Every structure is written in structure tokens, then in C-alpha cells.
Amino acid sequence: MAHRDAHRHRRLHSDHDDGNIAVTAALPGTAEVPAPRWYSPLVDHRFDTTVEVRADEMRGLAELGVRNLRRLQYHDRSAPGWTTVKRLLRPLEVVNAGLDGPVTQHRRRAMLDVVALLLLRCAKEGRTFWGWTEDEWAHLLGRDQTDFHRNAPAWAGDEVRPYLAAHAYLLGSFTGFDRLGSFQGLTLARQIFGRDRLNNEIAQVRAILDEWGYRLGRDDDTLLPMVACRLFLLNRSPHIDHLTTELFDRVRRERLLPGTQMNTLHALQRAVSALGFCDPPRQGNGRHSARATGGAPEWERWVDRWHATSTLTPRTCSGVRSNLLKVGRWLQAEHPDASDPADWTRQTCAAWVAALDRMNVGDYVQRTVGLKDRVGKPLEASSKEGQLAALRRFFTDCQEWEWLPRRFDPQRALATPRSIAALLGPNPRVIADEIWAKLLWAGLNLNQEDLPQTKSGHFYPIELVRAITVTWLFSGLRSDEIARLRLGCIRWQHQDAPISGDSDQVLARNAVCLLDVPPHKTGTAFTKPVDPILGQAIDAWQAVRPDQPLFVDRRTGEQVNLLFAFRARRVSSSYINNTVIPMLCRKAGVPAADVRGNITSHRARSTIASQLYNAKEPMTLFELQAWLGHCSPQSTQYYAKITPTTLTRAYTDAGYFERNVRTIEVLIDRDAVESGAAAVGEPWQYYDLGHGFCNYTFFEQCPHRMACAKCDFYTPKDSSKALLLEAKDNLQRMLATVPLTDDERAAVDDGQAALDQLLERLADVPTPSGATPRQIDIPAQATLLPVIAVNQKPT
């Protein structure tokens, strides 16, 4: 309001600083009204407002003739006809005297010709010009210069039409300038209101728009004066504080401006609103698809009642409504007796679930535009689940609000069938690593030439586009969260000590970049660490960001300073999908779609989450949950996907085979086998225990294999027999796999404590020779039976 009061004080002071006081002027055909500021040099006149041209005036006009009326050279200034037509002549002279601009010979000739043209037209029509309708004025002015010359005398030149429009505006209340083609409204407004006054009024709007970053705020812009002057003419006042909300709405409703100037009208209204003189533009003035309708009328009334009461977000609520109307069309076709939700039973629910399970794409929809070649294909499981969830929500709310009796439990009667639920689950649409790497390169090397450009140039500055692009590539945020980031959302700190992002301190080199995320659809505001590249891009945008007005946060209702705002407009949450991603795909030379579908803003969230989950030093599921801002790990599972490479590495590191089976080296005495000594009971195979050999044939069944009790089958490696065995030339080395028992696995996994327990339990277990370790009275020696590399000698 301070802007408005200061503006009005300046305007009132300016209206009186030259000693001129606005007078009361009664123009023909109008009531007495306070004369506007541009009439201040005039004097008070009273005119006869009779519409018909009197007989004496008709004779006077005829006597004067074209030469006198045009006031050409040698015209008779003293002719009696001038006195006779004074009632008609005086208003025209008052208008000419009040028009702004230097009095040149060319300008004077045009104004005199306008007077002659109008007087002759009055004689032809038999009615005074203040009685003409807007259609008559528009017919005389013509749609263009050619049409004007078709209806005007031959002596009327091109320069006559602009001055004729000024008389039509001031004497005939003509404002239908949209009917005059490409008419120069700016020139007309300057003539009527005065160039300096218009410049002063428009300068106040320019200052606001320049502060917001509009090109309209530049002094060399001509689009803003054109639109502003058209509104001044329609409003019959050159003052900014007279522009009302109703005037802006009328211009839009009646399409009084060309389509190319509607954006300027929007900016102008925002600036006037900031000055406190009107309301801001209404949201949703663009083109939108018609609201979905159809189905059983009674069902639709209930759906609309629920839609008007639900507290879901508008987008979610509209989606549920569309799904419910699909149910209404099915009811009208298959179950008209159940159009009232109060008539639904468990049997009706079962019929809908069965019909939905067999439904195809395009069934019971209002429009199939956009479905393309998918019409007729079976519905996906996720679509079926969405339909059932919408209906469950509807009946649950209606019963909770006591609109409907509790005849059934929606959660049970409309539960998702097991056959459908089995097809649902986490399946993040991760972008392939090679494509994502190219998109990262494109985003980090973005330059001015890559930005989309219109006839008026680039819509957003390069710093803003870079900041949005890098935020999408590195933050893992939803598009709505990116669009709602607040000014100052980046913080730098080193070991809990805050520092400036542009600091030259040594600590700044190792500073952590933190990003403050606003409240989102699943939780409250939180802070997450991000790559310093993201913080640097946002700091670069904040350094050049023009001051913007406060915006209402769509989710919290707060008045906030949005980070991504320009020209007093917030950047749309669809900007990433519609502009940033196609731009990056073009620069990176990758297609905008892959085998998983279109590359969208939300797929980056899944891609980043999966890469963090599969990194060399991966984040745990709970850490990733906190980084993504999820309320539960179950939600995080829909974003993080383990890659086959990571799964293979984890499986290998887990050592499944090594954990359950051990490989031990076996020495085969081929001399004993070939000589037949093995057949008569001589040892022929020796299991290498590391500290000795065991020649028990059924070694894998021996309970003491990992804790050898040194029974009769044991041969120490430092014995002469062992040395002779290893010295044989005909010795063959092989590997044998030995499965481990639970106790042995525990000994391997848990270490010495479990190994001691194993030795204790085996103390009274007989060895292959029959004696127990306690009876042998030799300390058992344990081995983990490691895999031993075998270098077999050639046979």
C-alpha cells in the first residue's frame, strides 16, 4: 500500500504544480463530469446536445462548401456559415486544441481536414457526431487505411485517420480499437494524454518489472507502452492507480488485445498489483482440458460431493475423481441399479473387481486421445491397483464422514487380488549408466547456445538453467521439491562449523555442502549432503538473481522466497520434463526415451539412489532412506535397485561355497595302487592337514578332521615316513572337497571360541582307530582346511 499512497500523492501534486485546475467540461452528448488532467488548458463550455442537425446548420454547411470547411488558401473566414455551424464546430476545435504535440504545418493540415470530414459527414447523415454509434465510427475509421479511404473523401490523406480516431474517442466515446486492425494506439494515447504523463506513469511499472528481471523493464522496450496505453484508452484515464482488476478481466474475456500481447498484459497486471492498485492475475488463465464427466448421474453427484470435501492435494484428488467416474460409466452400462453408493454391497464390489481384472486400455474412458496404440491392450497391474485404491478411498471417506452406512469394509471388499498384487513391487526405472554419464557431461558443460530460444530471445538466464539442471542431476529430489527450494537453501560447513560458500579459507576446500529441502509429500523439511558442484551452481544463480516477490508455498501455505523464480513467476515443476531433459538429450546425443520409457525427472531420483546403493562404499538402506527423505525403508526400496555387478561381487565376497565346503589336498601314492599293495590294506591316499597327513580312507566322515586327535591314521610331517612319501616320484597331488558341519562352520566363522568348544565336544568321540582324544592324551591340533594350490607333476 505504500507504493499506492506515494503514487497518488505524486500524481495529485503534479496535477496542480503548473497552476492549472481541472475544470468541468460538458461535451456534446455527455453528462457533466470532472474533466481529466489533459483538459486543464481548456475552459468550461456548454453545448446544445441535440442529436439532429438543424436545418440552418445544414444550409450553413452547404454554403461554406469544402474549400471553406477545409480552410484552404483564400477561404472566407467571415462567411456567415461559420456562425451557423458554431454548435458543431466548437467541440471539434476544443479537441484539436487539447491534443498533445508540436503544432506543425503538417499536423495542422490533418486536424483541419478531420474537422471538415466530420462536418460533411454530419450533413450527410443528418445527425451530429456525438450521436453516432460505435459501429458508425468504426465504419468511418475502417479496418485499415485502405478501408478508410474507401469511405472517406478523396482529399483525406493517411495522416487524417489517427486524428479522426482521437475525435472518435473524445467525442463519441469510441474504444473499439481492436476493430481497427494494427492501429497505433500508442500514438493516439500520447496525443490524448500527453507523452510526458504516460512516460511517468509507465516508468513506475517499468521499475517493478526491471527489479523482477523482465525485459519489459528496459527503457528501449516498446511492447509495455503499447499494452499500457491500450488499457489507458479503454479505461479513459492515463493513471496507473485507475487500472482495476475488472478492466484486466474484461480485456481477457473480450480478447481486446492480440494474442502476442497477452503475456505483457499478465506482467503489467502483476506490476500494478505489486503497487497495490488491483488483484494479481488469476491462476489458470491458460488452456486446460475439459473436466471429465459422464457415467451414472447419481454416481457423478456423489463423486463431485466427495471431490469438494476431500483434503487430498488437488492433483491427487483430480486423479481419484477420474478413476471414480470410470466406475460410474461401468455402473451405467452394467449395473444401473447400483448407481447410488448407498446401494453397493459386497457382491457389487466383487463384480467390479472381477470386471477390472479383465478390463483393457480404453474401456469406460471419456477420451482416448493420447492412448495411441495402447487401446485394447490389457491394463497393467499398477493401473488396476490405482483404480481399486481410488474406490477404497471413496467408500472409506464416505463411511467415515457418515454419508453412507457401513454395509461392508472397503479395505477387505475392494482389496487388491493376490494375482494382481503379485505383479506389484519395487521396480525403479533406472537410467542406464552410459546414458546417465552422457547426461551428466551435458549438464556440466551447458552453455548459452544450448538453451532453447524464441523470437524474443532466451526466456531464462543461463545461470538459472544451469542451477536447475545441476540440481536435477545431483540432488535426487522430486521436480516439485526442486521448484519449491527456498532462497539460501545451500549451506557450507566444516566439522559442524558454518562457513561462507565463497570463502577463501583453507577449511572451505574441505567444506561439506548441505541442501535444505522444504516439506514434501511424505515428510517435513530435512537437510541432506550434496556434491559441492550443486552448491556452486546455486550460489552462482543467487549472485545474479533479481529480487522477486514472495510466493505462497503450494504445500505449506507460507509466504516464501523461492530460489527458482524469475520475472515474478515461479519456475514450473514441469520445466525439467518439458525443457531441461530434451535440451540435455540433444546436447548429449542420446534419445529422449529408452527401453524403460521416456526419460523423466523422477527417473533421475531412482538412478541416483541406485548408484549410491551400489557404490564402492555403498550407503545402507537406512542411510539412503534419510538422504531421500522417506518415512520408511519400504519406500526407499522402490528407488534403490541392486545392479547385477554389485550382486555378483557381494555373492562372491560372501563365499557361499567356501563357507560350506573346504578343499583339501590329497596325495595319491600311485606305486601302492599299481603294485596292488592298496588292495591288501596298505595306505595309498594321504590327506594333507598342514601339520601332518591322515591316511584314513573315509576322511570326509571323520568327526575329528578339523581337530585331529593324532590317532593311528595320523602321520606327522616331520616323521621319516612323511619325508619318504613326499620324496616319491610317482606321487600325484589332487584336491578333495569336504562339506562342513554346523559346528565346523561356526569354528570357521566365529574363531577361537567356537573352535575350543568343538575340541571340547570331540574329546570323548572315538577316532577312526577306536580310541578317543582323551584316551590318546595328545593335544588336538585344528586346521581350517584351506584351499591349497596344486601343482601336479606331469604324468
Side-chain angles (χ1 to χ4, degrees), residues 633-695:
Q634 184 178 5
S635 300
T636 308
Q637 292 176 1
Y638 283 84
Y639 291 87
K641 181 178 182 180
I642 297 180
T643 62
T645 302
T646 302
L647 194 59
T648 301
R649 184 171 61 249
Y651 177 78
T652 303
D653 293 343
Y656 170 80
F657 185 81
E658 291 79 0
R659 180 176 183 271
N660 294 277
V661 177
R662 283 297 182 270
T663 304
I664 187 171
E665 188 178 39
V666 185
L667 280 64
I668 307 297
D669 188 354
R670 297 185 63 180
D671 288 342
V673 176
E674 293 172 356
S675 64
V680 297
E682 289 292 330
W684 61 277
Q685 59 182 354
Y686 299 87
Y687 292 88
D688 189 350
L689 303 180
H691 49 76
F693 296 101
C694 179
N695 58 21

Side-chain angles (χ1 to χ4, degrees), residues 715-735:
T715 303
K717 276 196 173 183
D718 55 357
S719 65
S720 58
K721 185 177 181 180
L723 295 175
L724 290 173
L725 175 66
E726 292 185 340
K728 286 185 176 182
D729 293 335
N730 204 20
L731 190 68
Q732 184 175 2
R733 297 177 182 269
M734 301 181 64
L735 293 177

